[in-house]
Amino acid sequence: MSKAIEADFFRPNIEDLPLDYLKEWFGAACATEGVRKDIWSYLLPRTLEVLAMGEEPKYVGIEVSLSRFDTGNPSHWSDRQWRVLDRFQRRFMQSSSPSSGAWRYHSLDEILCMFTLGGWQLDDLWSQVMALADEQLVERLYQDWCGTFGDYGTIDVTEFWAKPDKARVREFYTSEQLRQRLETIALSDSADAEIAAKASAVVSVIDKSM
């Protein structure tokens, strides 16, 4: 961290902490055991605010934004604090999408990785994915694997995943549960024709990857 920022870091109120200061801290803090809870608790509200504004607190990618502390472990927080964190996580999963307005778009895989590295349980995150409305699920996966935001026709898995989780998440993306859900949408007579076509394209990507 630059000497000038280090000397000034705790002067602003946390809600006024400049984004450059936060990014500088993320770039400088490299303790392998993570950071102390009191420091992380101080920085976390500003970090969440930055994420909500569509920014990334660390230059290398959104995936590591919450990995400095076991943020997603409810035992670390009061009930009131955990309700805030849980609500943020669920709203971010729902709202960060290609048509979400103020939220900067990140792939579903990047978001799953961010929260998993932050201590949230992967099985619970998958349940949230499967609970997405049909149209939202199709749009997310189509954009990530077939559209603007990914390599066309490829299941895109970020390199930030820890090795065991990377294998598990690939299994989920190619699971029969997900494939059947998308195939049902693709073949549904009541589905919007564009959504059905996109669902079919995503199914083809899954089949190619199995």
Side-chain angles (χ1 to χ4, degrees):
M1 180 179 293
S2 74
K3 294 297 182 182
I5 290 180
E6 182 179 3
D8 194 51
F9 194 83
F10 290 105
R11 180 192 58 78
N13 293 327
I14 185 59
E15 62 267 24
D16 299 321
L17 187 72
L19 179 57
D20 287 347
Y21 282 29
L22 190 64
K23 289 189 173 185
E24 187 87 358
W25 181 85
F26 267 91
C30 58
T32 56
E33 300 300 321
V35 299
R36 298 200 319 261
K37 181 181 177 181
D38 58 337
I39 295 176
W40 186 239
S41 297
Y42 173 73
L43 291 171
L44 183 55
R46 181 69 173 123
T47 302
L48 298 182
E49 182 182 38
V50 166
L51 289 168
M53 292 188 302
E55 297 286 349
E56 297 179 8
K58 188 169 174 61
Y59 295 105
V60 299
I62 195 176
E63 296 94 322
V64 298
S65 300
L66 300 173
S67 62
R68 299 293 187 180
F69 185 80
D70 195 19
T71 315
N73 184 343
S75 67
H76 291 314
W77 313 105
S78 69
D79 289 344
R80 183 169 178 264
Q81 289 170 328
W82 177 247
R83 285 196 297 271
V84 172
L85 286 168
D86 184 61
R87 185 165 65 248
F88 174 86
Q89 182 270 303
R90 293 174 185 278
R91 288 190 64 185
F92 197 95
M93 182 82 81
Q94 285 277 346
S95 301
S96 186
S97 65
S99 59
S100 58
W103 290 63
R104 179 176 176 180
Y105 181 76
H106 296 285
S107 74
L108 185 61
D109 185 69
E110 290 172 339
I111 293 170
L112 287 171
C113 184
M114 177 179 73
F115 286 118
T116 303
L117 291 179
W120 275 265
Q121 295 300 305
L122 190 50
D123 287 341
D124 181 56
L125 296 173
W126 285 340
S127 296
Q128 292 179 46
V129 172
M130 294 303 292
L132 292 173
D134 287 348
E135 182 174 344
Q136 189 176 11
L137 177 64
V138 170
E139 288 285 8
R140 295 301 302 272
L141 295 178
Y142 181 84
Q143 289 292 343
D144 293 350
W145 298 350
C146 306
T148 307
F149 300 100
D151 296 328
Y152 190 86
T154 302
I155 293 178
D156 191 19
V157 179
T158 176
E159 293 302 317
F160 285 99
W161 282 106
K163 192 172 183 179
D165 288 334
K166 189 172 185 177
R168 289 179 65 204
V169 80
R170 278 194 174 277
E171 288 179 5
F172 171 69
Y173 292 149
T174 57
S175 66
E176 189 61 24
Q177 178 191 20
L178 181 60
R179 187 192 180 282
Q180 284 187 352
R181 168 92 182 272
L182 294 163
E183 187 174 57
T184 298
I185 299 169
L187 298 177
S188 173
D189 292 334
S190 60
D192 175 85
E194 182 179 356
I195 294 298
K198 288 180 176 179
S200 180
V202 174
V203 169
S204 295
V205 175
I206 293 173
D207 288 343
K208 187 174 70 173
S209 303
M210 293 177 68

